[in-house]
Amino acid sequence: ESKEENNDQEGPEERELLSALTGALWKCSAGAAGARCLDSLAAVDVLVQLLKYPCDRVLTNVAGALAECAKCVANRDKLRAAEGIPLLG
């Protein structure tokens, strides 16, 4: 059973919206300018919180966005401080 099938808190519309939003964040985080922009918005903390969301598509997008953000040293430190590294493992 996938995590998506086990999500009783939100309906399919909410999952689709969050999936699209996190996918857009992943795309926006590509490149140094995008990662800096997300850094200025304190997005790393929010993305780390979303690593607990029970939807595989959202988790894939969040992991991708965090990987892009982690290309900046400051964001790596924020990822560690938010205890996001164990959640990625």
Side-chain angles (χ1 to χ4, degrees), residues 14-77:
E14 288 82 4
R15 286 192 301 271
E16 287 296 321
L17 181 60
L18 193 54
S19 178
L21 174 65
T22 55
L25 286 173
W26 184 5
K27 297 299 179 194
C28 289
S29 65
R36 281 193 305 273
C37 181
L38 289 182
D39 178 39
S40 71
L41 298 171
V44 171
D45 291 330
V46 174
L47 290 168
V48 167
Q49 292 174 14
L50 286 171
L51 287 172
K52 299 172 186 171
Y53 191 80
C55 174
D56 291 338
R57 288 175 290 167
V58 170
L59 293 174
T60 298
N61 292 338
V62 169
L66 285 170
E68 291 294 332
C69 287
K71 292 179 180 178
C72 294
V73 174
N75 285 335
R76 284 182 233 150
D77 294 337

